[in-house]
Amino acid sequence: MALIVHKYGGTSMGSTDRIKNVALRVAKWHDAGHQIIVVPSAMSGETNRLIGLAKQIMDQPDPRELDMISSTGEQVSVGLLSMALLAIGKQAVSYAGWQVAIKTDSAFTKARIQSIDDVKVRRDLDAGKIVIITGFQGVDENGNISTLGRGGSDTSAVAIAAAMKASECLIFTDVDGVYTTDPRVVTEARRLKTITFEEMLELASLGSKVLQTRSVEFAGNYRVPTRVLSSLTDPLLALDIEANSGTLISFEEDTNMEQAVISGIAFNRDEAKITVLGVPDRPGVAYHILGPVADANIEVDMIIQNQSVDGKTDFTFTVSRGEYHAAMAVLNGTKEEIGATSIIGDAKVSKLSVVGVGMRSHVGVASQMFRTLSEEGINIMMISTSEIKISVLIDEKYMELAVRALHKAFDLENA
């Protein structure tokens, strides 16, 4: 008997019929003798609806009160799923994050998990119950409900799996695994049977929507075996088939992994570029530009500082498109202090990345990538690299063309 964590996304919980199917799937695993914890998201579209209501009251909703509102979607989900399991004769109990308790910091709307109390959950599991816990949320040291940010249910599931020392965390979603790129952009995209944590972390952080970045960090840090698989198959599919389906995120590089130079292509349309022009080229300039941005809780991604000319330099970085106006406001407020001549921005850019552990042992990946984009007439605005990835910033109108061209250039459909 193993302890298994199931996570179901909003599409999987999108209607009462789908919730009943989730209950059948969960019951199948429980009937096989496993202890089961389920972490569901809110029903599809519900969190957006709740946030929309808040914005009808305040243009910029108070973060603490917004968490009070947006956390309710998951509470509905766990209650409905628990009732669906009770209706088919299974013992089940649902908990909100604060009841477990899942302790977080107080960064409302972007909270980070600090600890998880497993006593109550273990007691229920030992009593033969299926335990259902809200994803996406927790409670801070002052008893305030907090949420983990969009996609936070993935993080909740993996964190719970880590805290409970689960044998595996199964992320059930509306796709059947991790693909070489988005199949909606490249129809020849191929599902990967395995992928390393490093590669998955890069893909998640670079725009792949299959898993939330922090969930992959948890899985890697705590060595939680994690599998991405479909919830849209027959819920009564044979367990041995289902347990080996999807994509396994592995700890070690497969012996054949080195042959695949590139495992996938990620892209992110949610990018904006900001350039601070004509700042004095002196020690501390980067801090004086980015410090106030960080203080405003705005995350910065790609960064470039140009060569000094007559003691002046330009400083360019990217932020998420949703935080573009806030970042511009911060910088315009500090423009005189940092000595900038002007601040300009572009919210119509996209980031495109090629990822693969094979880059460590193969040369020429960058040149092939740049040659392919050049042949398509696509200009590169910014470049960043790591051991296993190369990212470029391009005009958003060329993004899909670039993805298709690179997928073909690296022969990912046949890898």
Side-chain angles (χ1 to χ4, degrees):
M1 180 174 68
L3 171 55
I4 308 290
V5 174
H6 284 206
K7 187 270 175 179
Y8 292 92
T11 304
S12 308
M13 301 290 294
S15 67
T16 52
D17 284 340
R18 288 189 175 180
I19 290 172
K20 289 176 182 178
N21 281 338
V22 169
L24 291 174
R25 193 182 306 274
V26 170
K28 173 184 70 181
W29 282 78
H30 192 258
D31 289 341
H34 298 297
Q35 292 184 323
I36 302 295
I37 299 172
V38 187
V39 180
S41 297
M43 297 175 74
S44 181
E46 181 64 7
T47 302
N48 285 337
R49 185 186 75 85
L50 293 168
I51 293 173
L53 290 174
K55 289 185 176 180
Q56 290 178 33
I57 303 296
M58 292 181 72
D59 290 337
Q60 297 293 327
D62 178 83
R64 180 191 180 279
E65 303 309 325
L66 185 60
D67 276 1
M68 284 288 288
I69 295 165
S70 60
S71 64
T72 61
E74 280 71 18
Q75 294 177 44
V76 172
S77 289
V78 296
L80 290 173
L81 181 54
S82 183
M83 286 191 281
L85 285 161
L86 291 168
I88 58 175
K90 303 299 292 185
Q91 294 186 72
V93 60
S94 65
Y95 292 115
W98 62 268
Q99 293 174 301
V100 172
I102 299 172
K103 296 291 183 66
T104 75
D105 61 22
S106 299
F108 298 114
T109 76
K110 296 181 180 180
R112 300 187 77 86
I113 295 173
Q114 295 178 331
S115 65
I116 297 176
D117 187 346
D118 64 351
V119 174
K120 185 183 298 184
V121 176
R122 290 195 187 278
R123 184 176 64 234
D124 288 330
L125 292 172
D126 291 342
K129 296 179 181 179
I130 296 168
V131 180
I132 308 158
I133 304 172
T134 53
F136 177 59
Q137 63 186 255
V139 60
D140 73 3
E141 63 180 359
N142 297 313
N144 298 304
I145 292 175
S146 56
T147 68
L148 309 182
R150 301 309 296 267
S153 290
D154 286 349
T155 303
S156 299
V158 178
I160 289 168
M164 301 294 298
K165 295 181 171 53
S167 297
E168 193 166 13
C169 183
L170 305 182
I171 308 290
F172 287 92
T173 183
D174 55 353
V175 296
D176 61 350
V178 180
Y179 278 71
T180 49
T181 196
D182 190 335
R184 292 170 295 185
V185 174
V186 180
T187 56
E188 298 83 8
R190 179 178 52 84
R191 180 173 62 83
L192 301 166
K193 292 183 178 179
T194 62
I195 189 171
T196 69
F197 276 100
E198 286 180 284
E199 289 172 317
M200 191 66 244
L201 182 58
E202 290 283 11
L203 289 172
S205 66
L206 294 168
S208 173
K209 304 301 183 183
V210 177
L211 283 179
Q212 202 256 6
T213 305
R214 280 194 285 166
S215 69
V216 184
E217 290 176 345
F218 259 106
N221 291 340
Y222 294 95
R223 299 186 67 81
V224 179
T226 303
R227 185 179 295 272
V228 179
L229 63 171
S230 175
S231 66
L232 303 182
T233 57
D234 181 354
L236 300 180
L237 178 70
L239 191 142
D240 61 335
I241 295 175
E242 186 167 81
N244 291 287
S245 63
T247 301
L248 176 66
I249 305 174
S250 63
F251 296 108
E252 304 296 336
E253 296 177 19
D254 188 275
T255 53
N256 294 322
M257 197 68 77
E258 187 175 334
Q259 298 175 15
V261 182
I262 300 301
S263 293
I265 298 173
F267 55 87
N268 188 3
R269 307 174 194 266
D270 182 33
E271 292 282 328
K273 181 182 69 166
I274 297 174
T275 300
V276 184
L277 295 167
V279 293
D281 187 17
R282 59 174 181 248
V285 64
Y287 167 73
H288 286 99
I289 292 171
L290 297 181
V293 174
D295 291 342
N297 206 21
I298 298 170
E299 294 184 9
V300 171
D301 185 14
M302 305 173 78
I303 302 172
I304 288 179
Q305 183 172 337
N306 291 343
Q307 183 176 353
S308 178
V309 177
D310 297 327
K312 298 282 188 176
T313 186
D314 301 332
F315 193 90
T316 303
F317 62 95
T318 62
V319 297
S320 70
R321 197 169 294 181
E323 295 182 319
Y324 169 67
H325 293 294
M328 289 291 286
V330 168
L331 290 168
N332 281 314
T334 60
K335 177 182 173 183
E336 291 186 10
E337 181 182 341
I338 60 180
T341 56
S342 62
I343 299 170
I344 59 174
D346 183 356
K348 295 183 178 180
V349 294
S350 294
K351 182 170 66 173
L352 176 65
S353 310
V354 295
V355 176
V357 294
M359 288 189 197
R360 290 177 177 150
S361 54
H362 291 76
V363 298
V365 174
S367 63
Q368 184 173 354
M369 181 182 190
F370 301 155
R371 181 175 64 251
T372 300
L373 295 177
S374 173
E375 289 171 351
E376 297 293 339
I378 300 171
N379 185 49
I380 298 171
M381 303 176 187
M382 299 176 73
I383 302 169
S384 68
T385 65
S386 75
E387 263 196 319
I388 64 168
K389 76 101 167 59
I390 302 170
S391 297
V392 297
L393 195 72
I394 61 174
D395 191 310
E396 69 172 357
K397 67 183 178 183
Y398 296 119
M399 193 276 297
E400 292 193 7
L401 170 63
V403 173
R404 289 191 290 267
L406 290 171
H407 198 274
K408 182 176 181 181
F410 288 105
D411 198 28
L412 289 179
E413 65 269 27
N414 299 314

